[in-house]
Amino acid sequence: MKTQMRNPTLLLLLLLSSQLCSVLSWKKDEFRNCNQTPFCKRARARKPSSSSLIAQDVAIFDGELTAKLFPEKTQENPDEQDQDRIKPLVLILSVYQDGILRLKIDEDPKLDPPKKRFEVPDVILPEFSNKKLWLQKLSTETIGGDTGPSTIVYLLDGYEAVLRHDPFEVYVREKGGNRVISLNSHGLFDFEQLRVKRDGEEWEERFKGHTDSRPYGPQSISFDVSFYGADHVYGIPERATSFALKPTRGPGIEDSEPYRLFNLDVFEYIHESPFGLYGSIPLMISHGKSRGTSGFFWLNAAEMQIDVLGSGWDAESGISLPSSQSRIDTLWMSEAGIVDAFFFVGPGPKDVVRQYTSVTGTPAMPQLFALAYHQCRWNYRDEEDVEQVDSKFDEHDIPYDVLWLDIEHTDGKRYLTWDRMLFPHPEEMQRKLAAKGRHMVTIVDPHIKRDDSYFLHKEAAEKRYYVRDATGKDYDGWCWSGSSSYLDVLRPEVRSWWAEKFSLENYVGSTPSLYIWNDMNEPSVFNGPEVTMPRDALHQEDAEHRELHNAYGYYFHMATADGLVKRGDGRDRPFVLSRAVFAGSQRHGAIWTGDNTAEWDHLRVSVPMILTLGLTGISFSGADVGGFFGNPEPELLVRWYQLGAYYPFFRGHAHHDTKRREPWLFGDRNTERIREAIHIRYMLLPYFYTLFREANTSGVPVVRPLWMEFPSEEATFSNDEAFMIGSSLLVQGIYTEHARHASVYLPGKESWYEVKTGVAYKGGRTHKLDVNEESVPAFQRAGTIIPRKDRFRRSSTQMVNDPYTLVIALNSSQAAEGELYVDDGRSFEFQQGAYIHRRFVFSDGKLTSLNLAPTPPGQAQFSSECVIERIILQGLSTGQKSALIEPENQKAEIEKGPLLLHSRQGPTVITIRKPNVRIVDDWVIKLL
C-alpha cells in the first residue's frame, strides 16, 4: 500500500481524508520517462556501429579468458586532455558447468579510476564459483569475412563461446554453426568511464524539484543483445503487461518507452504499460520453435531501461548478421555498475531456468501453511475484529490459515510494536489462532520512525546504521511513520542486527506462530524523487544509492527472513512476503504483485505478471484477490477467487477505504462459490507442495507458461490467459463479466479431463466451452497422476494426518505417472533427508509406488501413517471390478464414486475404494 503524495503537508491531508480521490491515481508525469533520463536518452540516440572497441592482449589467467578492450586507433587529437581519452577496459570471460558463460567488463583498477565501480554482492550463490570450468587453452578462427581472428572457447558439448576481436563482440554458437545469443553485434556497446569533473562542468540532474548531485558524473553502460531463433522474448519483471514482450522501438512504433527496471512504489498502477513497478529482475528469456530457449542475465542493481527492437529497426545500419536465423534484437541501458552478464544456452525452457537458478539460487521451500489461503485487510481494527473474522470463517465452513495485520496494529507506525489500546493481548490473540492450526502475519516496513523514545531508532542512530544523505548525515525521508530513516541493509552487520530484532524477546508480543510482511521496501519515500530514495544517498563504502537501488528491498527481505530463522534457532522455515523483488529474492520468501485494482483488466494481467515472475526464479508469487483498490462487483470477486485459488500465493487483501469484502458478505450463493474455490485450493495442497519441492530442487516454477510444457507448439507462445500448474493441470481464467463461453486451447496430442466434470477433450485444438459462474475451466492432462486431500478442515495444519486421493488421468496408451512429496511441513530437516518422495506409475493395468527419496545411513528420517483412501481412474478402457494389492495380497473393490468427494451431486468415476496403502511404502495395485 502507499500514498501518492510527495511532501509531509500533503501526506497529512491524505491521512485525515476519509476517501482517496480517484483523480489522484496513476500520474504518468510524476515519473521520469526515457527522454527525462539522460543516460537512457544518450543510449537511445546512439547509432549501430558506433562502438569502436577492439579486443587485444587475449590470454588465459586463473582459468579464465582475459583481454583488454581498446578504442580503435584514430588520429591523435593534440587538444584532447588525458582525462578525456578512453582508457582500456578489462574483459573477463569465464565458463561454468551446464553451459553458462559469464562476461565481466570493468574499468582497469591499475589506471586509478576516481572510485571502484559497484558490484552487486550476496546475490550469486557462494557455491556457484565451484562450478567454474578452468580453461586450459584457447583456439582461434577467422570467421566469415573478418580480416582478423576470433578466440573460441569450449562451453558445453555442442556449444562454443566466441570472442570476436575487431570489432569487439561476444556470442554463443552451436559448435561451428548457428548463433544462440550475442552481445554487441550491432556495435552499440558504450561504457562511460569515471573521471574528474572539469571546472564549470554541469553534472547535476533535476526532476520535479529534486536535485541529484551526481558527484561522479556520467557512468552509464549500454549494449545490444541479440537472441537467435527467437519468436518471442519474455521476462525482465516487474510490470503489468503481456507475457511476451512487445517491441518498444522500430518501424511503426511511435512514442513508446523502453521497459524500465527501477523499483518504485506506484500508486494504482495501470495495465498494459512498459513502466516498471516494485521489482526488477534483469533476466530475459527467448523462445522459438526452431532453436528452443536461451537466456541473458545482467547482474546490475542500478536503474535499467531495455528496448525490444522491432523488425527492421536497423535497416540502414549496413550491418550483416546471419540471415538464415530469425532473431530478436534488444538494447540494454543502465545508469551505473559494471558489465556482469550471464549467457544461458538452454536449449529447453526448463534448462534455462535451471541454469539461471544455479547462479542466483532456487526458491526456498515454504512451510505448508503458507501455501493455503491468507486473509488480509488494511486493517483489521482490533482483537475483537480479529476474533469475529476468525469465527466467521468457521461458521461458514471456509478454511483459511493466516490472518494478517497491516500498519494500524502498531503503536504510531513504530514497527515491532503493538497499539495496546486496540491489541492489548497480542500473544493470547495469536495463541487462539494457533489452537486451530492458524497463523498471523504482521507488517514490518523499512522506514523507521525518527523518535528518540523508539528503541529501534535510538539504537540504529547510535550505531550509525542508517543510509546517509549526500552530505553524510542520516537520511531523513517521509513515509507512513512521518519523519523516517532507512537501515543500510547493504551492510552485513546491519542485516545481522536487524535479524536479531525478531527474537521473541526483542519483538515483544510476538509468538512462534507470527510471521512477517515487508511492504514499501523499494524503498518508498513519499517526499523523495519519484517516491523513492535520492540516487546520491550513501551506503557503506560510499556506494551511491543509484548503484544498488533495485537490490535494497532484496537485502531487507533477506535480513527479515534470517531473523525468523534465528528466532527458531534455525529449526523452522521462515515466511516473509516482500513487495520489492530482485534477482535472488526467491531464496528468501514470497512476492506479491502490489497495489492492484478491482477491475477485470487487473484480474487479466495478474496471470502474465505471475508467469513472468515464475520464469525469472520467483515461484512463490500472487496477486491480491479482489484487487487492493476499489470495490469489486460480486461476479468479479468470485472470478478472482476462482482464479486466485491456483496462484502460488493465495491472499485476499483490500485498502482501508474499500467496503469490507470477507467471503460471506456477498449473499449465500456467492459465499458458496468462494467457499468452493478455496476448497479446491485445499484439496490440491499435496500437489502444490510437491511442485514447490520441485521448484526448490530445480528452479522450475510452480505456475508455468504453456510453452514450458509444450515448447514446439506455436499456439502457446503468446498465450497468457491460460497457464500450467506443474505439468499436470491447465487453468483458463474468465476475464469478462457475464461470460457464457470461453475459448480454451488445449495443447499436445493427448486428451485433457475437465477437473470438475471429468469430461475428456482432445488436445492440439481450441475448444469453445460453455461456462457458468460456478468455476473457471481447469483440466488434468492425460498421462498424469495428481495427489489430493479431499477432507476439509479449518486449516491445512489440521489436514496433516488425513488420507490421500490419487486422480489418475490415463493417456491413449492407458498409462500415467505423477509424484508426491511430503515432509513435516515446517522444519529444515528435509535438507537432511527427512522426507517422503514417491513416484506413482500406472501402466499395463497396474499402479506402482516407487521410492525417490535416498536414505543414506545417518540421514534424518521422516515417516507418516497417512494412507491412500481413493484412487480415481479416468479414461480406463476396460471394465475391471476389483484390484489386488501387493505385497499384502489383499483385494479392493472398484466401483463408481464421486469425482469430487464434497460434491455428491457431481459426476461419478471409476474408483478403487479404500485400498488403504501407506504413502511411505512400496506397493503395487493390479486391476483384475
Side-chain angles (χ1 to χ4, degrees), residues 482-653:
S483 176
S484 305
S485 287
Y486 297 73
L487 294 172
D488 184 4
V489 284
L490 178 64
R491 298 164 58 184
E493 69 272 22
V494 176
R495 295 200 298 267
S496 180
W497 173 83
W498 178 246
E500 294 293 342
K501 300 309 171 187
F502 291 92
S503 70
L504 299 180
E505 178 184 5
N506 287 330
Y507 189 177
V508 176
S510 67
T511 70
S513 63
L514 181 72
Y515 294 88
I516 302 299
W517 170 18
N518 289 161
D519 196 0
M520 316 299 284
N521 56 336
E522 292 75 28
S524 177
V525 182
F526 293 161
N527 63 334
E530 299 190 275
V531 206
T532 192
M533 189 175 286
R535 296 167 191 248
D536 56 4
L538 298 174
H539 295 259
Q540 72 169 356
E541 297 181 359
D542 287 339
E544 289 187 282
H545 187 71
R546 80 179 75 253
E547 300 174 284
L548 60 100
H549 170 79
N550 287 342
Y552 182 89
Y554 163 80
Y555 295 121
F556 192 76
H557 193 190
M558 175 198 297
T560 304
D562 287 347
L564 294 188
V565 173
K566 288 182 178 180
R567 180 185 73 180
D569 294 327
R571 293 187 300 270
D572 292 338
R573 302 171 222 165
F575 173 76
V576 182
L577 180 73
S578 172
R579 190 171 67 178
V581 59
F582 188 65
S585 290
Q586 65 268 15
R587 305 203 304 266
H588 307 300
I591 301 295
W592 94 107
T593 61
D595 298 346
N596 58 358
T597 302
E599 297 174 355
W600 288 94
D601 286 336
H602 276 248
L603 170 63
R604 168 70 182 82
V605 83
S606 70
V607 173
M609 293 180 79
I610 291 168
L611 287 174
T612 301
L613 286 167
L615 198 62
T616 54
I618 312 294
S619 269
F620 202 3
S621 70
D624 283 344
V625 170
F628 178 65
F629 291 109
N631 296 302
E633 293 299 317
E635 183 185 4
L636 173 58
L637 183 64
V638 168
R639 287 299 192 206
W640 216 317
Y641 269 100
Q642 291 169 344
L643 186 71
Y646 297 102
Y647 292 162
F649 175 60
F650 183 26
R651 180 184 77 158
H653 185 36

Side-chain angles (χ1 to χ4, degrees), residues 664-782:
W664 50 85
L665 296 177
F666 296 86
D668 291 345
R669 193 70 196 95
N670 288 319
T671 299
E672 290 178 17
R673 291 167 177 149
I674 295 174
R675 179 192 300 118
E676 173 71 11
I678 296 176
H679 277 172
I680 289 287
R681 174 52 165 245
Y682 278 76
M683 180 178 73
L684 291 174
L685 280 177
Y687 181 58
F688 270 94
Y689 198 66
T690 300
L691 292 175
F692 269 89
R693 176 56 172 167
E694 181 184 2
N696 174 246
T697 56
S698 71
V700 176
V702 172
V703 166
R704 306 167 187 175
L706 272 58
W707 56 260
M708 182 168 278
E709 294 297 327
F710 302 91
S712 63
E713 292 202 30
E714 292 179 79
T716 67
F717 292 177
S718 59
N719 186 337
D720 58 10
E721 290 193 349
F723 54 90
M724 297 292 298
I725 302 171
S727 61
S728 304
L729 282 179
L730 183 151
V731 177
Q732 168 73 51
I734 301 296
Y735 307 111
T736 57
E737 59 182 336
H738 311 315
R740 293 296 175 260
H741 304 281
S743 292
V744 184
Y745 179 74
L746 298 175
K749 298 178 180 179
E750 296 288 348
S751 296
W752 295 79
Y753 295 88
E754 210 281 326
V755 167
K756 291 196 70 175
T757 66
V759 174
Y761 294 87
K762 290 184 178 181
R765 63 185 64 181
T766 299
H767 298 268
K768 186 176 181 180
L769 305 178
D770 294 332
V771 297
N772 55 40
E773 295 182 5
E774 306 309 310
S775 62
V776 296
F779 304 86
Q780 182 174 348
R781 180 181 181 181

Side-chain angles (χ1 to χ4, degrees), residues 375-393 403-405 625-628 630-634 637 641 653-667 674:
Q375 181 65 34
C376 185
R377 179 176 178 80
W378 179 20
N379 204 84
Y380 286 119
R381 296 183 300 269
D382 51 29
E383 289 180 2
E384 182 181 0
D385 197 7
V386 167
E387 187 171 353
Q388 288 179 350
V389 170
D390 177 68
S391 64
K392 281 290 186 181
F393 271 95
L403 197 143
W404 293 52
L405 296 180
V625 170
F628 178 65
N631 296 302
E633 293 299 317
L637 183 64
Y641 269 100
H653 185 36
H655 189 277
H656 65 66
D657 284 334
T658 64
K659 298 175 183 177
R660 294 291 287 253
R661 61 166 87 143
E662 284 73 30
W664 50 85
L665 296 177
F666 296 86
I674 295 174

